[in-house]
């Protein structure tokens, strides 16, 4: 399973240490905390969010990182900010 | 050390108006932009309808039908026209505003409610349905839906020694850090039968409201904002005073923001300014029980260090 973002539909803005997402089709706004921003940027870069979290917070237990990533990705997909797509050979 | 005297110019909401025959106040400070107002017949070339307000307003004299439409004209300028033929046309790039109304009251209302916000379309501002008052320490922006107490709050705070900044619409200038709010026109509009600040005189009437003079109580230039307040509809038995997170403040600011452009652009265009403001200022939600004493409670909550206890007793 791969998580993808439509760049035309979601706008990120960082301000004063906070991060915000705009879902353009609905006009809804969302906030991201620090770990959420790391996960979001990893998704944008096509990287594994777990690896990005491990680089940023190596001392945090792997189970906690996994739970954070799962929770955020579920929320992002639920809000229409990202889509889960099947990995295809060669893609 | 002697400070230079401020230079005052004609205008409000941060827009300096050249040769304006309408009295919209005098302020100082570096304007957001310059514009020119002419009172003249507005050429009828509606173009594409972007927005429409069609409603009945209940007044002491009966029901008044309001039908206002905003058009993008073929030349790119914008036009607001009511069914009674009153119009304001704005060419934002050149700063030209043409107003056509049956009297000065209507012209003033068209100019300040539509003309100035439209000419500010590309300015670094967020325009919000709110009232604002200032005291030493900064201005408070009180955002609320129509009829939920913006004007009453301004009158009540003014009576308690605050200075009025703007009622109904507030132009927040994002060039400054912290952001500043510009004085609006020197009046507060209240339903017929409700008074303005004690000692105030009426400036003009519209079918649903009287505009009361607030010039003696108004700040004379932009003032720093210190907090955002979102006023919920009165109800319940307790005072509710809760801090608002930055993401929620973004959402609330966008909801209260004035947007007179293409509907599809609303979310994207308001996002940056709303984030900019919400990330820099504390915000709270207030709800008061239905009571004649709600303004007293508001004053107590807004006093330095004032916080409403969650049990409802201030």
């Amino acid at each position: 399973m791969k998580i993808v973002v439509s760049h035309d539909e979601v706008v990120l803005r960082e301000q004063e240490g906070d991060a915000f997402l705009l879902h353009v089709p609905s006009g809804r706004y969302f906030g991201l905390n620090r770990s959420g921003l790391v996960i979001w940027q990893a998704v944008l870069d096509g990287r594994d969010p777990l690896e990005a979290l491990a680089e940023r917070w190596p001392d945090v237990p792997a189970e906690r990182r996994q739970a954070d990533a799962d929770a955020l990705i579920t929320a992002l997909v639920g809000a229409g900010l990202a889509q889960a797509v099947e990995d295809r050979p060669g893609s | 050390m002697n400070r230079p005297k401020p230079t005052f110019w004609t205008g409000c909401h941060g827009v300096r108006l050249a040769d304006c025959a309408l009295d919209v106040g005098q302020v100082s400070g570096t304007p957001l932009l310059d514009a020119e107002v002419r009172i003249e017949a507005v050429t009828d070339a509606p173009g594409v309808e972007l927005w429409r307000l069609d409603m009945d307003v209940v007044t002491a004299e009966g029901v008044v039908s309001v039908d206002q439409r905003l058009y993008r004209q073929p030349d790119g300028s914008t036009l607001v026209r009511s069914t009674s033929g009153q119009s304001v046309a704005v060419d934002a790039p050149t700063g030209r505003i043409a107003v056509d109304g049956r009297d000065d009251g209507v012209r003033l209302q068209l100019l300040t409610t539509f003309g100035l916000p439209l000419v500010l379309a590309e300015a670094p501002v967020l325009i919000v349905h709110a009232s604002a008052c200032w005291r030493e320490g900064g201005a408070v922006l009180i955002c609320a839906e129509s009829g939920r107490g913006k004007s009453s709050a301004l009158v009540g705070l003014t009576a308690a020694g605050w200075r009025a900044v703007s009622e109904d619409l507030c132009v927040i200038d994002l060039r400054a850090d912290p952001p500043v709010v510009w004085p609006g026109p020197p009046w507060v509009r209240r339903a017929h039968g409700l008074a303005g600040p004690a000692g105030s005189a009426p400036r003009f009437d519209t079918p649903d409201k009287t505009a009361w003079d607030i010039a003696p109580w108004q700040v004379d230039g932009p003032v720093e904002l210190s907090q955002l307040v979102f006023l919920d509809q009165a109800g319940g038995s307790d005072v509710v005073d809760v801090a608002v997170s930055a993401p929620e403040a973004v959402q609330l600011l966008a909801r209260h923001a004035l947007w007179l452009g293409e509907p599809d652009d609303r979310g994207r265009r308001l996002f940056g300014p709303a984030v900019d403001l919400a990330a820099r200022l504390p915000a709270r939600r207030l709800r008061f029980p239905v009571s004649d004493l709600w303004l007293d409670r508001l004053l107590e909550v807004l006093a330095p260090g004032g916080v409403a206890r969650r049990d409802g007793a201030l």
Side-chain angles (χ1 to χ4, degrees), chain B residues 131-143 149-150 152-154 156-158 160 162-163 226-231 239-241 282-286 288 294-309 314:
Chain B
S131 63
C133 288
W134 177 90
R135 56 142 188 237
E136 202 69 46
V140 175
L141 189 77
I142 301 173
C143 303
K150 293 191 295 293
S152 298
L154 182 138
L157 290 171
T158 303
W162 292 59
R163 303 280 299 278
S226 63
Q227 67 170 302
L228 310 174
V229 169
F230 299 98
L231 198 58
V239 175
V240 174
D241 179 11
R284 69 210 297 189
R285 267 182 110 131
L286 293 176
F288 297 98
W294 80 269
L295 282 171
D296 297 332
R297 304 285 86 79
L298 176 65
L299 283 167
E300 290 170 33
V301 169
L302 294 182
V307 177
R309 293 210 310 265
L314 285 167

Side-chain angles (χ1 to χ4, degrees), chain A residues 27-47:
Chain A
R28 292 186 66 198
Y29 303 104
F30 301 86
L32 286 177
N33 60 17
R34 286 185 304 160
S35 60
L37 181 58
V38 168
I39 294 168
W40 178 259
Q41 286 176 329
V43 169
L44 282 183
D45 296 342
R47 297 181 59 208

